[in-house]
């Protein structure tokens, strides 16, 4: 009895802290985490990481603590010695949300000396969130040795967060901390400054209030930028889906309700290419889209030529019958894909260079959306160059402006129609390649874009590619700014109503084509 009473007195800080885990008390466990993290003991990281993962076992009868390692073996938390097995009376040390934050901060402090700058930054961010004042000596020591600019900034912010809530910090230290956190300017900084105690010195409270107001204004501006980026991203998708339709609708006057199915076919070509590469050439997976783009263009374009030659050519001048025929064809194509690939979504993965995101100020930009925007603009530029500098482009523009005059000048308008329909379908196919990276690949993929594509084409001006470009980005940005206010469904309805009103004033869209036949 006397020996057991003397053990706490004789034990060192580390031993005393480890023993607290056996008390099954959240406050004692939090005190233990802080003491262990600052003890410098080589077992500190193993113990606290085991606590985070539910692998720290406490035996209340023997007052012994064990660490169950990821490989299944166990050690004594106090000595690091291996143990044959953990007693049946031992149970995992419990965690609550407050204790979890303390654990994250402690682990962050323990990795501040990692040779990897990224790990040091993550560690500093963990300390920033927990702002445990026990970590201040470790932060100060790490700051003195830090040479990496980003890591030093993260450590400075972590130090500011600690000082802001440290009871014995001077008023000047707190004001400097507020300035540092204000410069960070994100949601976490806003939440931290909002939590400044009400009984803080007047100068500190006033500085915190002013910083909160400044951050809110800055975040509102970044929110506008984020919505604009989302609008550009949506606009690039709409442009890619509508640009082929602008060609066929503009040159031939065909209301092609099967255009969305050309997009779907391009997406399934991407799926087949990726499956083939996975099975036979796994090392080439990052280049799968390089192979899928030309194949999707060829397959969808060939199907488009066949459709024009077998169905569309007999229905020129009868737009309602063309609409019904292509709508029926879209159902046939959807059912054919369901028969071949099944009705469920198919997995199409992002190559490594299209995965992930990066921060630009306070907005997040995903690589797949950025690449799709660049790809869309490249397709648009190539198509413009083709229309301007090739014989087929010259013939297409001639047929668009005055079909009869073009025919009298020796242009084979039927051949131009077939090639134009194939070109529009091929572009829809490569749109499907891009959309497979951000949307579900299913038989219904094309139906999600066909209505929006027609709205873009009509709004921009039938047959005018520049009008399609402006129309796509205008509708995309307008949609993303209306969604937060009216909701996704009401936002689309509002856009549709606005387009109807606009068409009442300008029936030919933003950019009307010029030509005698058009003007007639």
């Amino acid at each position: 009895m006397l020996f057991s009473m003397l053990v706490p007195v004789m034990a060192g800080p580390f031993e005393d802290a480890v023993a607290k885990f056996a008390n099954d008390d959240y406050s004692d466990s939090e005190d233990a985490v802080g003491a262990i993290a600052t003890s410098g003991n080589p077992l500190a990281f193993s113990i606290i990481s085991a606590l985070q993962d539910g692998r720290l076992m406490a035996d209340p009868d023997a007052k012994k603590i064990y660490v169950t390692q990821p490989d299944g073996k166990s050690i004594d938390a106090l000595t690091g010695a291996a143990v044959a097995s953990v007693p049946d009376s031992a149970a995992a040390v419990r965690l609550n949300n407050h204790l979890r934050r303390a654990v994250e901060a402690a682990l962050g402090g323990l990795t501040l000396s990692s040779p990897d700058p990224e790990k040091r930054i993550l560690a500093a961010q963990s300390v920033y969130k927990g702002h445990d004042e026990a970590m201040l000596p470790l932060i100060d020591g790490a700051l003195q040795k830090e040479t990496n600019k980003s890591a030093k900034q993260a450590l400075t912010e972590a130090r500011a967060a600690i000082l802001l809530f440290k009871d014995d910090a001077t008023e000047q230290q707190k004001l400097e901390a507020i300035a540092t956190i204000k410069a960070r300017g994100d949601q976490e900084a806003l939440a931290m400054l909002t939590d400044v105690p009400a009984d803080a010195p007047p100068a500190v409270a006033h500085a915190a209030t002013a910083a909160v107001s400044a951050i809110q204004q800055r975040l509102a501006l970044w929110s506008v930028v984020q919505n604009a980026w989302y609008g550009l991203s949506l606009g690039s998708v709409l442009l890619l889906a509508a640009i082929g339709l602008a060609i066929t609708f503009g040159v031939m006057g065909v209301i092609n309700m099967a255009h969305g199915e050309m997009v779907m076919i391009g997406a399934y070509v991407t799926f087949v290419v990726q499956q083939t590469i996975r099975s036979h050439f796994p090392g080439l997976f990052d280049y799968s889209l390089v192979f899928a783009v030309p194949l999707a263009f060829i397959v969808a374009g060939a199907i488009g030529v066949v459709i024009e030659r077998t169905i569309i050519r007999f229905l020129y001048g009868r737009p309602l019958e063309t609409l019904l025929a292509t709508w029926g064809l879209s159902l046939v194509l959807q059912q054919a894909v369901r028969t071949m690939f099944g009705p469920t979504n198919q997995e199409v993965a992002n190559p490594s260079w299209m995965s992930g995101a990066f921060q630009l100020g306070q907005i997040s930009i995903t690589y797949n959306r950025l690449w799709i925007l660049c790809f869309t603009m490249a397709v648009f530029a190539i198509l413009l160059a083709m229309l301007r500098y090739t014989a087929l482009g010259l013939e297409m523009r001639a047929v668009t402006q005055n079909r009869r005059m073009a025919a009298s000048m020796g242009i084979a308008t039927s051949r131009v129609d077939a090639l134009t329909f194939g070109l529009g379908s091929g572009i829809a196919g490569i749109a499907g390649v891009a959309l497979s990276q951000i949307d579900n690949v299913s038989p219904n993929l094309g139906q999600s874009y066909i209505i929006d594509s027609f709205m873009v084409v009509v709004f921009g001006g039938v047959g005018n590619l520049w009008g399609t470009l402006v129309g796509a980005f205008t509708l995309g940005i307008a949609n993303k700014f209306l969604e937060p206010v009216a909701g996704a469904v009401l936002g689309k309805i509002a856009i549709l109503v606005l387009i109807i009103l606009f068409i009442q004033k300008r029936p030919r869209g933003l950019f009307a084509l010029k030509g005698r036949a058009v003007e007639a």
Side-chain angles (χ1 to χ4, degrees):
M1 174 71 74
L2 180 61
F3 177 76
S4 63
M5 292 173 64
L6 289 175
V7 167
V9 178
M10 298 170 58
F14 178 75
E15 291 83 352
D16 193 22
V18 171
K20 285 186 177 182
F21 286 121
N23 297 339
D24 194 27
D25 181 85
Y26 291 130
S27 297
D28 286 347
S29 295
E30 185 176 354
D31 292 341
V33 168
I36 291 170
T38 56
S39 67
N41 192 289
L43 292 172
F45 185 84
S46 297
I47 293 171
I48 298 177
S49 61
L51 175 61
Q52 185 183 49
D53 298 339
R55 296 183 287 105
L56 189 67
M57 312 298 290
D59 183 355
D61 298 332
K63 299 295 182 182
K64 298 276 286 182
I65 309 299
Y66 304 92
V67 172
T68 302
Q69 296 175 323
D71 59 4
K73 298 178 182 179
S74 299
I75 62 171
D76 187 313
L78 194 60
T79 65
V83 297
S85 62
V86 176
D88 293 338
S89 57
V93 179
R94 297 183 303 156
L95 287 166
N96 61 10
N97 289 336
H98 187 71
L99 183 54
R100 284 190 184 92
R101 288 193 291 270
V103 168
E104 290 175 359
L107 288 175
L110 289 170
T111 53
L112 288 173
S113 58
S114 170
D116 185 354
E118 291 298 325
K119 289 184 178 180
R120 297 200 299 274
I121 291 171
L122 290 174
Q125 290 173 347
S126 295
V127 175
Y128 173 85
K129 294 176 183 177
H131 49 80
D132 183 359
E133 64 181 70
M135 296 292 113
L136 186 58
L138 293 175
I139 291 290
D140 287 336
L143 262 172
Q144 292 177 0
K145 298 181 291 184
E146 188 58 65
T147 57
N148 182 276
K149 183 178 179 181
S150 299
K152 194 163 189 174
Q153 179 63 31
L155 288 168
T156 303
E157 291 170 356
R159 185 177 186 275
I162 294 172
L163 290 174
L164 182 60
F165 294 95
K166 195 171 185 292
D167 293 334
D168 57 352
T170 65
E171 183 175 303
Q172 182 61 34
Q173 286 178 322
K174 289 180 180 289
L175 291 174
E176 291 174 356
I178 289 172
T180 300
I181 296 170
K182 175 186 174 182
R184 177 177 172 128
D186 59 2
Q187 289 288 351
E188 290 182 351
L190 180 64
M192 185 166 290
L193 291 172
T194 305
D195 290 339
V196 171
D199 58 352
V204 173
H206 177 73
T209 302
V212 166
S213 177
I215 292 176
Q216 287 175 336
Q217 292 177 6
R218 190 185 310 168
L219 289 177
L221 291 175
W222 277 113
S223 177
V224 172
V225 175
Q226 182 77 77
N227 283 334
W229 162 249
Y230 287 151
L232 288 175
S233 176
L234 176 60
S236 67
V237 171
L238 293 177
L239 176 61
L240 204 54
I243 194 169
L245 188 64
I247 295 172
T248 55
F249 195 18
V251 174
M252 299 156 47
V254 173
I255 304 175
N256 181 18
M257 296 301 293
H259 182 78
E261 277 54 53
M262 300 298 107
V263 175
M264 172 196 70
I265 288 170
Y268 273 96
V269 168
T270 309
F271 167 71
V272 171
V273 168
Q274 286 198 352
Q275 290 297 100
T276 303
I277 289 178
R278 279 196 182 102
S279 302
H280 301 93
F281 312 100
L284 296 176
F285 184 80
D286 274 351
Y287 303 96
S288 58
L289 298 188
V290 176
F291 298 110
V293 167
L295 282 175
F297 180 83
I298 292 170
V299 172
I303 293 174
V305 171
V306 171
I307 291 172
E308 196 281 334
R309 285 297 185 185
T310 56
I311 299 175
I312 303 298
R313 67 178 301 187
F314 302 108
L315 300 174
Y316 288 131
R318 293 182 283 178
L320 180 59
E321 293 179 26
T322 305
L323 184 150
L324 292 174
T326 53
W327 178 67
L329 178 63
S330 72
L331 298 180
V332 171
L333 291 173
Q334 288 181 45
Q335 190 58 46
V337 168
R338 285 192 183 93
T339 302
M340 294 174 63
F341 298 99
T344 57
N345 296 340
Q346 300 297 337
E347 179 187 0
V348 175
N350 294 129
S352 60
W353 47 274
M354 288 188 72
S355 302
F358 65 94
Q359 287 292 127
L360 182 64
Q362 298 299 323
I363 66 173
S364 177
I365 297 178
T366 56
Y367 284 110
N368 57 357
R369 293 276 183 176
L370 181 61
W371 276 111
I372 288 174
L373 177 59
C374 296
F375 178 70
T376 301
M377 299 313 297
V379 171
F380 183 81
I382 292 171
L383 189 58
L384 278 180
M386 189 276 294
L387 290 175
R388 185 174 181 84
Y389 298 112
T390 66
L392 176 60
L394 180 62
E395 292 174 350
M396 285 174 57
R397 286 186 289 137
V399 172
T400 301
Q401 294 182 22
N402 195 318
R403 177 177 291 270
R404 292 183 180 179
M405 184 64 73
S408 68
M409 295 296 292
I411 296 176
T413 55
S414 61
R415 180 181 65 86
V416 172
D417 288 339
L419 293 176
T420 301
F421 203 90
L423 177 63
S425 299
I427 293 173
I430 61 176
V433 178
L435 293 179
S436 70
Q437 301 300 297
I438 60 173
D439 207 341
N440 295 322
V441 177
S442 70
N444 299 320
L445 172 64
Q447 296 299 306
S448 305
Y449 297 97
I450 185 64
I451 302 301
D452 288 337
S453 297
F454 272 109
M455 284 199 299
V456 167
V457 172
V458 173
F459 177 65
V462 176
N464 190 302
L465 292 184
W466 284 108
T468 305
L469 174 74
V470 174
F473 285 117
T474 300
L475 294 183
I477 293 173
N479 209 345
K480 287 303 176 182
F481 276 98
L482 280 174
E483 275 184 8
V485 178
V489 176
L490 288 178
K492 281 189 173 294
I493 293 173
I495 292 291
L496 180 59
V497 170
L498 290 174
I499 290 177
I500 292 172
L501 295 175
F502 177 81
I503 295 302
Q504 294 295 315
K505 295 293 184 182
R506 290 181 65 91
R508 296 177 186 170
L510 282 172
F511 300 93
L513 286 174
K514 300 297 182 181
R516 293 180 181 177
V518 175
E519 293 168 357

